[in-house]
Structure formats: structure tokens, C-alpha cells
Amino acid sequence: MEPELDLNRLRELQTLLNAELPAIVRTLLDELTRATDEIEAAMAQGDLAAVALATHAARNSGLMLDARPLLGALADIETGARNHDRDVACAGLIRLRAAWPPLRHRLEAEAATPD
């Protein structure tokens, strides 16, 4: 299954950001990887405040890509964390674990193309 992803949004930003598409994708890939790692660690520790912060950061990067399955999972995690509802946050985390790997692989491929 191909992850839902809109690179046209990033192509439009190339001039504004003064960066080539692969460099922009690499930055977003790094941000999303860091944030998803932080979400996993904070959930394991039961730190819902840290979960909410990391999820918010991930959502900002996900919005740049318009990666809807990822955004839906992150919205559930953030809502659950902010409402102190671990069950909702955990359900979102399950969806994140399904959505993130294929998206990560697609971003890695896009980032690997020459500038």
C-alpha cells in the first residue's frame, strides 16, 4: 500500500525555502523520526505531557506533507494525551505504528534522490 503523501505542497515551497525537494524531505523525515521516537519513549514512560508535545511537533511536520493517515493517528494520540486518556492515545499509537513505516520508507526514497 502506497502511503498518502502530497509532495506538491513541498515543491511549491522550494523557492520560498531556498532548498531543493530532497533536502526539504530529509528535514521533515528527520523531524518525524525524532518525534515518533519521542512519542514511543514517552508512552512507554507514561508521560502524557511529553507525548502531547512530541505529537504536536510530529503533526506540524505531517501537515507539511498532508500525510492524512499519519495525521489521523497523531491527532488521536495528541487528543488522548491532552485529555489524560491513555486508551485513546494508545489506540492512536497503534495507528501510528501502521502508518509511519511505509511513509518513512517513501520519504527515505524521496530524500535519496539527488538535489
Side-chain angles (χ1 to χ4, degrees), residues 35 38-57 74 77-78 80-82 86 89-90 93:
E38 290 172 3
I39 292 166
E40 289 280 1
M43 285 292 288
Q45 295 170 356
D47 185 348
L48 293 179
V51 169
L53 287 173
T55 305
H56 190 76
L74 292 170
I77 296 168
E78 186 173 13
R82 291 196 187 283
R86 187 166 172 77
C90 285
L93 183 60

PDB file of all heavy atoms in Angstrom, residues 35 38-57 74 77-78 80-82 86 89-90 93:
ATOM      1  N   ALA A  35      10.389  12.849  16.401  1.00  0.00           N
ATOM      2  CA  ALA A  35       9.129  12.985  17.134  1.00  0.00           C
ATOM      3  C   ALA A  35       8.480  11.627  17.409  1.00  0.00           C
ATOM      4  O   ALA A  35       7.980  11.393  18.517  1.00  0.00           O
ATOM      5  CB  ALA A  35       8.172  13.892  16.369  1.00  0.00           C
ATOM      6  N   GLU A  38      10.262   9.982  20.165  1.00  0.00           N
ATOM      7  CA  GLU A  38       9.911  10.623  21.434  1.00  0.00           C
ATOM      8  C   GLU A  38       8.515  10.205  21.899  1.00  0.00           C
ATOM      9  O   GLU A  38       8.292  10.006  23.097  1.00  0.00           O
ATOM     10  CB  GLU A  38       9.995  12.144  21.304  1.00  0.00           C
ATOM     11  CG  GLU A  38      11.416  12.647  21.174  1.00  0.00           C
ATOM     12  CD  GLU A  38      11.507  14.136  20.854  1.00  0.00           C
ATOM     13  OE1 GLU A  38      10.446  14.818  20.793  1.00  0.00           O
ATOM     14  OE2 GLU A  38      12.632  14.621  20.654  1.00  0.00           O
ATOM     15  N   ILE A  39       7.584  10.059  20.973  1.00  0.00           N
ATOM     16  CA  ILE A  39       6.233   9.597  21.326  1.00  0.00           C
ATOM     17  C   ILE A  39       6.311   8.201  21.926  1.00  0.00           C
ATOM     18  O   ILE A  39       5.732   7.934  22.989  1.00  0.00           O
ATOM     19  CB  ILE A  39       5.301   9.608  20.090  1.00  0.00           C
ATOM     20  CG1 ILE A  39       5.023  11.037  19.643  1.00  0.00           C
ATOM     21  CG2 ILE A  39       3.991   8.857  20.386  1.00  0.00           C
ATOM     22  CD1 ILE A  39       4.394  11.138  18.258  1.00  0.00           C
ATOM     23  N   GLU A  40       7.030   7.313  21.250  1.00  0.00           N
ATOM     24  CA  GLU A  40       7.171   5.937  21.747  1.00  0.00           C
ATOM     25  C   GLU A  40       7.790   5.917  23.147  1.00  0.00           C
ATOM     26  O   GLU A  40       7.298   5.221  24.044  1.00  0.00           O
ATOM     27  CB  GLU A  40       8.032   5.099  20.784  1.00  0.00           C
ATOM     28  CG  GLU A  40       7.369   4.766  19.478  1.00  0.00           C
ATOM     29  CD  GLU A  40       6.395   3.599  19.548  1.00  0.00           C
ATOM     30  OE1 GLU A  40       6.188   3.003  20.636  1.00  0.00           O
ATOM     31  OE2 GLU A  40       5.828   3.273  18.487  1.00  0.00           O
ATOM     32  N   ALA A  41       8.854   6.681  23.344  1.00  0.00           N
ATOM     33  CA  ALA A  41       9.543   6.695  24.639  1.00  0.00           C
ATOM     34  C   ALA A  41       8.641   7.273  25.728  1.00  0.00           C
ATOM     35  O   ALA A  41       8.558   6.721  26.836  1.00  0.00           O
ATOM     36  CB  ALA A  41      10.841   7.485  24.537  1.00  0.00           C
ATOM     37  N   ALA A  42       7.962   8.365  25.424  1.00  0.00           N
ATOM     38  CA  ALA A  42       7.094   8.996  26.420  1.00  0.00           C
ATOM     39  C   ALA A  42       5.901   8.100  26.762  1.00  0.00           C
ATOM     40  O   ALA A  42       5.494   8.027  27.929  1.00  0.00           O
ATOM     41  CB  ALA A  42       6.632  10.356  25.918  1.00  0.00           C
ATOM     42  N   MET A  43       5.345   7.420  25.763  1.00  0.00           N
ATOM     43  CA  MET A  43       4.248   6.494  26.043  1.00  0.00           C
ATOM     44  C   MET A  43       4.727   5.356  26.932  1.00  0.00           C
ATOM     45  O   MET A  43       4.028   4.964  27.862  1.00  0.00           O
ATOM     46  CB  MET A  43       3.660   5.940  24.741  1.00  0.00           C
ATOM     47  CG  MET A  43       2.785   6.912  23.981  1.00  0.00           C
ATOM     48  SD  MET A  43       1.233   7.324  24.816  1.00  0.00           S
ATOM     49  CE  MET A  43       0.327   5.801  24.598  1.00  0.00           C
ATOM     50  N   ALA A  44       5.913   4.848  26.657  1.00  0.00           N
ATOM     51  CA  ALA A  44       6.465   3.758  27.470  1.00  0.00           C
ATOM     52  C   ALA A  44       6.658   4.200  28.924  1.00  0.00           C
ATOM     53  O   ALA A  44       6.509   3.395  29.843  1.00  0.00           O
ATOM     54  CB  ALA A  44       7.784   3.271  26.882  1.00  0.00           C
ATOM     55  N   GLN A  45       6.961   5.472  29.113  1.00  0.00           N
ATOM     56  CA  GLN A  45       7.164   6.008  30.469  1.00  0.00           C
ATOM     57  C   GLN A  45       5.860   6.494  31.098  1.00  0.00           C
ATOM     58  O   GLN A  45       5.838   6.885  32.259  1.00  0.00           O
ATOM     59  CB  GLN A  45       8.168   7.160  30.429  1.00  0.00           C
ATOM     60  CG  GLN A  45       9.554   6.738  30.018  1.00  0.00           C
ATOM     61  CD  GLN A  45      10.470   7.927  29.762  1.00  0.00           C
ATOM     62  OE1 GLN A  45      10.053   9.078  29.825  1.00  0.00           O
ATOM     63  NE2 GLN A  45      11.726   7.634  29.462  1.00  0.00           N
ATOM     64  N   GLY A  46       4.792   6.526  30.320  1.00  0.00           N
ATOM     65  CA  GLY A  46       3.520   7.010  30.827  1.00  0.00           C
ATOM     66  C   GLY A  46       3.467   8.517  31.000  1.00  0.00           C
ATOM     67  O   GLY A  46       2.639   9.035  31.744  1.00  0.00           O
ATOM     68  N   ASP A  47       4.330   9.239  30.296  1.00  0.00           N
ATOM     69  CA  ASP A  47       4.410  10.696  30.400  1.00  0.00           C
ATOM     70  C   ASP A  47       3.555  11.326  29.308  1.00  0.00           C
ATOM     71  O   ASP A  47       4.035  11.644  28.218  1.00  0.00           O
ATOM     72  CB  ASP A  47       5.872  11.139  30.286  1.00  0.00           C
ATOM     73  CG  ASP A  47       6.070  12.622  30.511  1.00  0.00           C
ATOM     74  OD1 ASP A  47       5.070  13.377  30.535  1.00  0.00           O
ATOM     75  OD2 ASP A  47       7.243  13.024  30.649  1.00  0.00           O
ATOM     76  N   LEU A  48       2.264  11.510  29.612  1.00  0.00           N
ATOM     77  CA  LEU A  48       1.341  12.010  28.603  1.00  0.00           C
ATOM     78  C   LEU A  48       1.616  13.458  28.208  1.00  0.00           C
ATOM     79  O   LEU A  48       1.338  13.848  27.073  1.00  0.00           O
ATOM     80  CB  LEU A  48      -0.106  11.837  29.066  1.00  0.00           C
ATOM     81  CG  LEU A  48      -0.578  10.384  29.189  1.00  0.00           C
ATOM     82  CD1 LEU A  48      -2.023  10.336  29.680  1.00  0.00           C
ATOM     83  CD2 LEU A  48      -0.438   9.638  27.875  1.00  0.00           C
ATOM     84  N   ALA A  49       2.194  14.250  29.090  1.00  0.00           N
ATOM     85  CA  ALA A  49       2.557  15.630  28.730  1.00  0.00           C
ATOM     86  C   ALA A  49       3.636  15.611  27.648  1.00  0.00           C
ATOM     87  O   ALA A  49       3.555  16.361  26.667  1.00  0.00           O
ATOM     88  CB  ALA A  49       3.024  16.403  29.949  1.00  0.00           C
ATOM     89  N   ALA A  50       4.625  14.749  27.809  1.00  0.00           N
ATOM     90  CA  ALA A  50       5.685  14.627  26.803  1.00  0.00           C
ATOM     91  C   ALA A  50       5.132  14.030  25.510  1.00  0.00           C
ATOM     92  O   ALA A  50       5.559  14.406  24.411  1.00  0.00           O
ATOM     93  CB  ALA A  50       6.841  13.789  27.336  1.00  0.00           C
ATOM     94  N   VAL A  51       4.191  13.117  25.631  1.00  0.00           N
ATOM     95  CA  VAL A  51       3.538  12.548  24.447  1.00  0.00           C
ATOM     96  C   VAL A  51       2.853  13.660  23.659  1.00  0.00           C
ATOM     97  O   VAL A  51       2.997  13.753  22.435  1.00  0.00           O
ATOM     98  CB  VAL A  51       2.515  11.457  24.841  1.00  0.00           C
ATOM     99  CG1 VAL A  51       1.654  11.058  23.636  1.00  0.00           C
ATOM    100  CG2 VAL A  51       3.208  10.242  25.410  1.00  0.00           C
ATOM    101  N   ALA A  52       2.116  14.524  24.355  1.00  0.00           N
ATOM    102  CA  ALA A  52       1.403  15.614  23.683  1.00  0.00           C
ATOM    103  C   ALA A  52       2.366  16.549  22.971  1.00  0.00           C
ATOM    104  O   ALA A  52       2.115  16.959  21.829  1.00  0.00           O
ATOM    105  CB  ALA A  52       0.548  16.378  24.687  1.00  0.00           C
ATOM    106  N   LEU A  53       3.481  16.881  23.605  1.00  0.00           N
ATOM    107  CA  LEU A  53       4.463  17.783  22.986  1.00  0.00           C
ATOM    108  C   LEU A  53       5.087  17.158  21.739  1.00  0.00           C
ATOM    109  O   LEU A  53       5.189  17.804  20.694  1.00  0.00           O
ATOM    110  CB  LEU A  53       5.553  18.149  23.988  1.00  0.00           C
ATOM    111  CG  LEU A  53       5.148  19.122  25.085  1.00  0.00           C
ATOM    112  CD1 LEU A  53       6.279  19.274  26.106  1.00  0.00           C
ATOM    113  CD2 LEU A  53       4.775  20.464  24.504  1.00  0.00           C
ATOM    114  N   ALA A  54       5.508  15.915  21.851  1.00  0.00           N
ATOM    115  CA  ALA A  54       6.141  15.238  20.712  1.00  0.00           C
ATOM    116  C   ALA A  54       5.144  15.050  19.571  1.00  0.00           C
ATOM    117  O   ALA A  54       5.493  15.202  18.398  1.00  0.00           O
ATOM    118  CB  ALA A  54       6.713  13.894  21.149  1.00  0.00           C
ATOM    119  N   THR A  55       3.903  14.754  19.924  1.00  0.00           N
ATOM    120  CA  THR A  55       2.879  14.551  18.904  1.00  0.00           C
ATOM    121  C   THR A  55       2.574  15.850  18.182  1.00  0.00           C
ATOM    122  O   THR A  55       2.403  15.868  16.956  1.00  0.00           O
ATOM    123  CB  THR A  55       1.601  13.966  19.530  1.00  0.00           C
ATOM    124  OG1 THR A  55       1.941  12.768  20.227  1.00  0.00           O
ATOM    125  CG2 THR A  55       0.576  13.641  18.470  1.00  0.00           C
ATOM    126  N   HIS A  56       2.522  16.933  18.907  1.00  0.00           N
ATOM    127  CA  HIS A  56       2.277  18.229  18.284  1.00  0.00           C
ATOM    128  C   HIS A  56       3.383  18.559  17.275  1.00  0.00           C
ATOM    129  O   HIS A  56       3.104  19.021  16.166  1.00  0.00           O
ATOM    130  CB  HIS A  56       2.163  19.317  19.348  1.00  0.00           C
ATOM    131  CG  HIS A  56       1.692  20.615  18.801  1.00  0.00           C
ATOM    132  ND1 HIS A  56       0.377  20.837  18.464  1.00  0.00           N
ATOM    133  CD2 HIS A  56       2.362  21.755  18.499  1.00  0.00           C
ATOM    134  CE1 HIS A  56       0.259  22.063  17.987  1.00  0.00           C
ATOM    135  NE2 HIS A  56       1.444  22.646  17.991  1.00  0.00           N
ATOM    136  N   ALA A  57       4.627  18.289  17.649  1.00  0.00           N
ATOM    137  CA  ALA A  57       5.755  18.520  16.728  1.00  0.00           C
ATOM    138  C   ALA A  57       5.621  17.647  15.483  1.00  0.00           C
ATOM    139  O   ALA A  57       5.836  18.114  14.357  1.00  0.00           O
ATOM    140  CB  ALA A  57       7.073  18.248  17.441  1.00  0.00           C
ATOM    141  N   LEU A  74      -1.846  10.756  14.658  1.00  0.00           N
ATOM    142  CA  LEU A  74      -1.251  11.749  15.558  1.00  0.00           C
ATOM    143  C   LEU A  74      -2.325  12.569  16.266  1.00  0.00           C
ATOM    144  O   LEU A  74      -2.182  12.903  17.455  1.00  0.00           O
ATOM    145  CB  LEU A  74      -0.306  12.661  14.777  1.00  0.00           C
ATOM    146  CG  LEU A  74       0.962  11.992  14.249  1.00  0.00           C
ATOM    147  CD1 LEU A  74       1.687  12.926  13.287  1.00  0.00           C
ATOM    148  CD2 LEU A  74       1.872  11.560  15.392  1.00  0.00           C
ATOM    149  N   ILE A  77      -3.568  10.499  19.124  1.00  0.00           N
ATOM    150  CA  ILE A  77      -2.576  10.433  20.206  1.00  0.00           C
ATOM    151  C   ILE A  77      -2.575  11.737  20.992  1.00  0.00           C
ATOM    152  O   ILE A  77      -2.615  11.740  22.231  1.00  0.00           O
ATOM    153  CB  ILE A  77      -1.166  10.132  19.655  1.00  0.00           C
ATOM    154  CG1 ILE A  77      -1.110   8.753  19.015  1.00  0.00           C
ATOM    155  CG2 ILE A  77      -0.122  10.240  20.774  1.00  0.00           C
ATOM    156  CD1 ILE A  77       0.148   8.492  18.207  1.00  0.00           C
ATOM    157  N   GLU A  78      -2.521  12.851  20.268  1.00  0.00           N
ATOM    158  CA  GLU A  78      -2.457  14.142  20.951  1.00  0.00           C
ATOM    159  C   GLU A  78      -3.728  14.411  21.759  1.00  0.00           C
ATOM    160  O   GLU A  78      -3.652  14.868  22.906  1.00  0.00           O
ATOM    161  CB  GLU A  78      -2.218  15.274  19.955  1.00  0.00           C
ATOM    162  CG  GLU A  78      -1.998  16.597  20.648  1.00  0.00           C
ATOM    163  CD  GLU A  78      -1.583  17.720  19.721  1.00  0.00           C
ATOM    164  OE1 GLU A  78      -1.683  17.570  18.480  1.00  0.00           O
ATOM    165  OE2 GLU A  78      -1.161  18.766  20.239  1.00  0.00           O
ATOM    166  N   GLY A  80      -5.794  12.191  23.040  1.00  0.00           N
ATOM    167  CA  GLY A  80      -5.759  11.311  24.207  1.00  0.00           C
ATOM    168  C   GLY A  80      -4.788  11.797  25.263  1.00  0.00           C
ATOM    169  O   GLY A  80      -5.105  11.823  26.456  1.00  0.00           O
ATOM    170  N   ALA A  81      -3.616  12.211  24.834  1.00  0.00           N
ATOM    171  CA  ALA A  81      -2.603  12.674  25.790  1.00  0.00           C
ATOM    172  C   ALA A  81      -3.069  13.937  26.508  1.00  0.00           C
ATOM    173  O   ALA A  81      -2.942  14.049  27.734  1.00  0.00           O
ATOM    174  CB  ALA A  81      -1.279  12.908  25.075  1.00  0.00           C
ATOM    175  N   ARG A  82      -3.602  14.885  25.765  1.00  0.00           N
ATOM    176  CA  ARG A  82      -4.045  16.150  26.372  1.00  0.00           C
ATOM    177  C   ARG A  82      -5.251  15.959  27.299  1.00  0.00           C
ATOM    178  O   ARG A  82      -5.420  16.704  28.256  1.00  0.00           O
ATOM    179  CB  ARG A  82      -4.364  17.179  25.297  1.00  0.00           C
ATOM    180  CG  ARG A  82      -3.111  17.640  24.566  1.00  0.00           C
ATOM    181  CD  ARG A  82      -3.322  18.915  23.783  1.00  0.00           C
ATOM    182  NE  ARG A  82      -2.171  19.247  22.976  1.00  0.00           N
ATOM    183  CZ  ARG A  82      -1.045  19.783  23.428  1.00  0.00           C
ATOM    184  NH1 ARG A  82      -0.917  20.038  24.715  1.00  0.00           N
ATOM    185  NH2 ARG A  82      -0.046  20.066  22.609  1.00  0.00           N
ATOM    186  N   ARG A  86      -5.308   7.595  28.308  1.00  0.00           N
ATOM    187  CA  ARG A  86      -4.268   6.710  27.788  1.00  0.00           C
ATOM    188  C   ARG A  86      -4.822   5.735  26.735  1.00  0.00           C
ATOM    189  O   ARG A  86      -4.131   5.389  25.787  1.00  0.00           O
ATOM    190  CB  ARG A  86      -3.600   5.958  28.936  1.00  0.00           C
ATOM    191  CG  ARG A  86      -2.407   5.154  28.513  1.00  0.00           C
ATOM    192  CD  ARG A  86      -1.580   4.711  29.709  1.00  0.00           C
ATOM    193  NE  ARG A  86      -0.557   3.786  29.307  1.00  0.00           N
ATOM    194  CZ  ARG A  86       0.573   4.120  28.696  1.00  0.00           C
ATOM    195  NH1 ARG A  86       0.813   5.368  28.421  1.00  0.00           N
ATOM    196  NH2 ARG A  86       1.462   3.210  28.353  1.00  0.00           N
ATOM    197  N   ALA A  89      -4.953   7.528  23.445  1.00  0.00           N
ATOM    198  CA  ALA A  89      -3.577   7.727  22.983  1.00  0.00           C
ATOM    199  C   ALA A  89      -2.970   6.415  22.485  1.00  0.00           C
ATOM    200  O   ALA A  89      -2.304   6.396  21.448  1.00  0.00           O
ATOM    201  CB  ALA A  89      -2.724   8.329  24.095  1.00  0.00           C
ATOM    202  N   CYS A  90      -3.228   5.334  23.187  1.00  0.00           N
ATOM    203  CA  CYS A  90      -2.699   4.025  22.767  1.00  0.00           C
ATOM    204  C   CYS A  90      -3.317   3.557  21.451  1.00  0.00           C
ATOM    205  O   CYS A  90      -2.620   2.989  20.599  1.00  0.00           O
ATOM    206  CB  CYS A  90      -2.928   2.988  23.861  1.00  0.00           C
ATOM    207  SG  CYS A  90      -1.818   3.164  25.266  1.00  0.00           S
ATOM    208  N   LEU A  93      -1.578   5.364  18.867  1.00  0.00           N
ATOM    209  CA  LEU A  93      -0.220   4.843  18.703  1.00  0.00           C
ATOM    210  C   LEU A  93      -0.220   3.589  17.834  1.00  0.00           C
ATOM    211  O   LEU A  93       0.675   3.408  16.998  1.00  0.00           O
ATOM    212  CB  LEU A  93       0.409   4.565  20.070  1.00  0.00           C
ATOM    213  CG  LEU A  93       1.853   4.077  20.059  1.00  0.00           C
ATOM    214  CD1 LEU A  93       2.777   5.093  19.400  1.00  0.00           C
ATOM    215  CD2 LEU A  93       2.316   3.794  21.492  1.00  0.00           C
TER     216      LEU A  93
END
